């Protein structure tokens, strides 16, 4: 199997381990903000359906 099972990775891992790796790789604070704020907001937004 490639990668990790979802249950093995916590949100704490994202903040304490993965984000520092991204920062070292050159990702910007703005890109991190988009990753952590804008993308989840877009995915979790419920669009009303058109009613006829």
């Amino acid at each position: 199997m490639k990668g990790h099972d979802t249950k093995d990775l916590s949100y704490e891992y994202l903040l304490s381990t993965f984000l520092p790796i991204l920062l070292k790789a050159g990702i910007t604070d703005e890109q991190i903000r988009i990753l952590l704020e804008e993308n989840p907001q877009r995915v979790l937004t419920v669009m009303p359906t058109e009613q006829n």
Side-chain angles (χ1 to χ4, degrees), residues 1 4-10:
M1 184 164 100
H4 299 280
D5 289 335
T6 306
K7 65 183 179 189
D8 292 339
L9 299 175
S10 66

Side-chain angles (χ1 to χ4, degrees), residues 24-45:
K24 270 186 154 178
I27 194 170
T28 66
D29 288 341
E30 176 64 9
Q31 290 169 317
I32 290 173
R33 187 190 67 72
I34 291 168
L35 178 70
L36 295 179
E37 293 177 22
E38 287 187 22
N39 288 350
Q41 287 174 5
R42 199 170 51 233
V43 168
L44 297 172
T45 298

Side-chain angles (χ1 to χ4, degrees), residues 9-34:
L9 299 175
S10 66
Y11 196 71
E12 187 270 333
Y13 170 84
L14 174 70
L15 298 176
S16 67
T17 304
F18 188 64
L19 285 182
I21 292 170
L22 293 178
L23 288 168
K24 270 186 154 178
I27 194 170
T28 66
D29 288 341
E30 176 64 9
Q31 290 169 317
I32 290 173
R33 187 190 67 72
I34 291 168

